[in-house]
């Protein structure tokens, strides 16, 4: 991936390229991951990225950046209550 690493801020963004690469800024920590999902905590809440052959290619918590590759099938923001799930893409 050819994304520039940015300075850490309270901003959060998601850049998806051809459903194969994703750049997420504002990342605080990785909660869990395997080859079918990556769950991250961001400055705007927890995010679940699902797919196949998922890999964390780069993680820089100092700058708040995560780079993930694989076949990306969904991106969901996770709320405390299951009733309040926000679906970004599905």
């Amino acid at each position: 991936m050819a994304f520039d690493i940015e300075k850490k801020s309270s901003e959060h963004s998601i850049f998806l390229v051809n459903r194969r690469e994703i750049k997420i800024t504002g990342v605080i920590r990785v909660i869990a991951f395997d080859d079918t999902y990556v769950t991250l905590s961001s400055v705007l809440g927890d995010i679940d990225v699902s797919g196949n052959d998922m890999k964390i290619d780069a993680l820089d918590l100092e700058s708040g950046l995560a780079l993930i590759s694989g076949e990306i099938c969904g991106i969901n923001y996770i709320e405390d209550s299951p009733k309040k799930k926000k679906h970004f893409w599905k």
Side-chain angles (χ1 to χ4, degrees), residues 1 3 9 11 14 17-18 20 24 30 33 36 45 47 56 58 65-66 69 77 80-81 84 86:
M1 285 190 216
F3 292 118
S9 71
E11 292 185 13
I14 295 177
V17 179
N18 296 325
R20 300 288 312 160
I24 303 174
V30 175
F33 69 94
T36 61
I47 305 165
I56 298 174
L65 175 69
S69 65
Y77 285 91
D80 291 337
S81 168
K84 293 185 178 181
K86 294 179 187 176

Side-chain angles (χ1 to χ4, degrees), residues 77-89:
Y77 285 91
I78 304 166
E79 298 294 328
D80 291 337
S81 168
K83 292 180 184 177
K84 293 185 178 181
K85 277 193 176 179
K86 294 179 187 176
H87 297 283
F88 190 70
W89 279 291

Side-chain angles (χ1 to χ4, degrees), residues 2-68:
F3 292 118
D4 293 328
I5 295 178
E6 301 164 359
K7 292 181 180 179
K8 185 172 184 170
S9 71
S10 60
E11 292 185 13
H12 166 65
S13 60
I14 295 177
F15 300 95
L16 180 64
V17 179
N18 296 325
R19 289 186 58 195
R20 300 288 312 160
E21 301 172 337
I22 188 168
K23 172 188 175 183
I24 303 174
T25 65
V27 174
I28 297 169
R29 68 185 175 103
V30 175
I31 297 170
F33 69 94
D34 69 13
D35 64 340
T36 61
Y37 73 95
V38 178
T39 303
L40 306 165
S41 181
S42 80
V43 295
L44 291 181
D46 294 346
I47 305 165
D48 198 13
V49 180
S50 61
N52 298 304
D53 301 321
M54 304 290 290
K55 293 187 293 186
I56 298 174
D57 296 319
L59 179 63
D60 185 347
L61 297 179
E62 198 169 302
S63 66
L65 175 69
L67 303 176
I68 301 166

